[in-house]
Amino acid sequence: MRKGLIIAAIALTSTFYSQKNTWQQEVGYSIVANLDDQKGVVAAEETIEYTNNSKDSLSEIYLHLYWNAFKKASHAFNVLDKDQTEMTKSDFGSIEIESIKINGEIYSLEVFESIGKIKLKKPIAPSAKSQLIIKFSSKIPACINRAGKDNSSGTDFTLTQWYPKICRYDSQGWHTDPYFGREFAGTFGNYNVAITCNKRYVLAGTGLLTNKLYTANGWTDKQNVTQQGEITEWKFVAENVHDFAWAAETEWIHNTIHIDEIDFHFFYHQDYKMEWENLMAKWGKAYAICKEEFGEYPYPQFSFIQAGEGYMEYPNCTMLEGSRMDFFNTACHEFMHNYFYGIYGSDENLHHWMDEGVTCYAEARISQLEGKFKNYLSEAMSSYKWVRMMYPEEPISTAANHF
């Protein structure tokens, strides 16, 4: 009954919006990248296949360049009220575009901090496809907001929002939300990502790892491969997702739980073993509740990764910074984001209340393992009451970047 009510509520909420938006754009990313762990830079080339399923002819394309928010004296730093006085040159980050080709022609990019605009020589007609080839270099910032190097729990690199990403286009037009350290939305498609790095590292993130197997403290190749010096390659494939995130570390412990043909991976540090073992011990029961109340998780893998700043969801994975008293509940919360943000595709920026609000209820439902008759709505409302006490109350429809 509860499951039916939740699904009905989501469907009714989106009815008016979906009536006008009966199509979705489609995008495919093939990315070849190299992590230079000494310089703190990712150098890469991405090939993007973009399909215009709208009825509009598109005369421009907009890109997210998220890490430009971490440039020195950026507007985003001012909005985030980040103290830059003690930051060194290596603490700042950026995404620098080296070249752009669209359907074989060279293009330039007009940059507005974390948003890039490409004015097209020929519009993309309805039902037409275009190919973008972008060479770029991403300078990895200090781990001060979601992504970066050397986070508080000791993870070396967290690579989220690390590549030029096409902004979402729908019946409302281009969603060119600047990055202020808040939420994300994107266009669904397929990702093929190949990353080279020093073989000391273990990589974990979105999608299926196709050429290696994880071990308890490292990795092994699926086939006999002759390693060339100190560099190795990691290949990931993800289908029908709207982003790709990953992290790299040399000292993670790794465990896997296999449930219903899904591999749930856990990557964590020895110092946090107690909290992570508690998560693993409870996860089977939590997922059983999730499956009953919200449906099956439709992807073949999910990774809980000790990385990043704070606690944030990405397709097929979540980055969990360290430890907190409600760590298990928080892990459940981030996993449930992968239903509303990740599967249903709710726009965390525009409809923040829908994604975060429903996720708070879902967290309360799956994390209370013994509370069969508990009032879960009341549990979720407690978060709202806390926010109302701490901050000025604002309209529920306020977008994420505006509160």
Side-chain angles (χ1 to χ4, degrees):
M1 181 63 179
R2 284 190 297 270
K3 177 182 176 182
L5 288 173
I6 291 169
I7 294 173
I10 294 172
L12 287 171
T13 302
S14 61
T15 295
F16 296 107
Y17 180 71
S18 62
Q19 284 176 339
K20 293 183 179 181
N21 199 40
T22 55
W23 48 266
Q24 294 183 59
Q25 304 292 64
E26 184 179 348
V27 65
Y29 290 85
S30 295
I31 306 176
V32 178
N34 176 69
L35 169 62
D36 187 329
D37 60 328
Q38 299 302 306
K39 294 181 179 179
V41 172
V42 175
E45 179 176 290
E46 62 179 358
T47 300
I48 306 172
E49 304 288 343
Y50 188 76
T51 304
N52 180 18
N53 291 323
S54 77
K55 297 178 181 179
D56 307 322
S57 291
L58 305 181
S59 58
E60 63 268 329
I61 292 175
Y62 290 89
L63 301 174
H64 286 292
L65 307 170
Y66 287 103
W67 286 3
N68 283 355
F70 304 130
K71 285 187 173 183
K72 188 174 183 178
S74 72
H75 177 59
F77 264 131
N78 292 330
V79 171
L80 294 169
D81 196 27
K82 295 289 187 182
D83 183 5
Q84 302 173 53
T85 57
E86 296 185 4
M87 294 177 65
T88 66
K89 185 178 180 180
S90 65
D91 291 332
F92 295 99
S94 64
I95 297 179
E96 302 294 339
I97 303 300
E98 298 175 6
S99 66
I100 300 175
K101 286 185 178 180
I102 302 179
N103 299 329
E105 292 193 65
I106 297 173
Y107 278 80
S108 60
L109 182 72
E110 190 175 359
V111 177
F112 307 90
E113 198 160 280
S114 62
I115 296 294
K117 177 183 177 181
I118 305 171
K119 184 67 177 177
L120 299 176
K121 300 172 185 177
K122 180 182 178 182
I124 305 174
S127 302
K129 296 183 179 182
S130 284
Q131 183 190 74
L132 292 79
I133 300 176
I134 302 176
K135 290 184 179 181
F136 64 96
S137 178
S138 296
K139 182 177 179 293
I140 305 170
C143 198
I144 54 177
N145 194 282
R146 307 300 189 198
K149 55 197 174 193
D150 303 324
N151 88 331
S152 65
S153 61
T155 297
D156 293 318
F157 297 102
T158 305
L159 286 298
T160 59
Q161 314 307 329
W162 59 284
Y163 61 97
K165 177 182 174 183
I166 291 186
C167 296
R168 196 162 59 86
Y169 184 86
D170 60 21
S171 61
Q172 296 180 322
W174 287 103
H175 291 256
T176 56
D177 307 284
Y179 184 50
F180 296 132
R182 300 302 298 272
E183 311 295 345
F184 311 107
T187 303
F188 282 91
N190 299 330
Y191 284 76
N192 285 277
V193 181
I195 303 164
T196 54
C197 64
N198 191 289
K199 63 185 181 183
R200 297 184 301 116
Y201 291 99
V202 171
L203 272 56
T206 302
L208 283 173
L209 177 60
T210 62
N211 68 326
K212 297 183 187 298
L213 297 172
Y214 292 114
T215 64
N217 298 100
W219 57 268
T220 183
D221 283 308
K222 282 189 174 181
Q223 299 177 346
N224 292 327
V225 176
T226 302
Q227 296 294 328
Q228 300 296 322
E230 296 300 311
I231 302 300
T232 191
E233 183 179 48
W234 295 72
K235 295 181 179 180
F236 295 89
V237 173
E239 296 182 355
N240 204 22
V241 297
H242 52 70
D243 202 359
F244 185 93
W246 56 288
E249 167 57 26
T250 60
E251 297 181 356
W252 278 326
I253 298 172
H254 169 254
N255 292 100
T256 306
I257 298 175
H258 190 72
I259 305 173
D260 293 346
E261 304 304 316
I262 304 166
D263 286 326
F264 291 99
H265 296 280
F266 303 82
F267 299 89
Y268 59 95
H269 291 278
Q270 176 68 33
D271 289 347
Y272 300 86
K273 186 176 181 180
M274 182 176 69
E275 296 91 334
W276 283 78
E277 286 186 341
N278 180 61
L279 169 60
M280 288 184 284
K282 294 180 177 180
W283 184 245
K285 194 165 187 178
Y287 178 69
I289 298 171
C290 171
K291 180 181 175 181
E292 179 182 356
E293 297 291 331
F294 302 100
E296 295 181 5
Y297 176 75
Y299 298 99
Q301 78 88 24
F302 186 88
S303 294
F304 295 91
I305 306 168
Q306 187 160 26
E309 178 272 335
Y311 302 81
M312 192 65 190
E313 67 280 357
Y314 303 94
N316 302 162
C317 65
T318 180
M319 305 297 177
L320 306 168
E321 178 180 5
S323 178
R324 47 192 285 174
M325 292 186 65
D326 60 346
F327 180 74
F328 172 71
N329 293 56
T330 301
C332 291
H333 179 97
E334 302 307 332
F335 175 75
M336 290 312 304
H337 269 302
N338 260 270
Y339 275 65
F340 307 109
Y341 145 92
I343 300 169
Y344 305 145
S346 56
D347 186 332
E348 294 183 317
N349 275 313
L350 187 60
H351 304 297
H352 186 69
W353 67 271
M354 182 187 298
D355 178 73
E356 199 65 45
V358 180
T359 298
C360 284
Y361 170 82
E363 171 204 334
R365 181 65 191 94
I366 77 166
S367 63
Q368 300 298 325
L369 304 184
E370 307 301 332
K372 185 175 181 181
F373 302 106
K374 191 176 179 69
N375 186 337
Y376 303 107
L377 181 59
S378 175
E379 181 81 11
M381 284 295 291
S382 66
S383 297
Y384 162 71
K385 292 175 182 177
W386 178 83
V387 170
R388 198 173 76 170
M389 287 190 299
M390 296 295 292
Y391 304 100
E393 191 166 16
E394 300 181 75
I396 193 172
S397 59
T398 303
N401 279 344
H402 296 277
F403 66 83

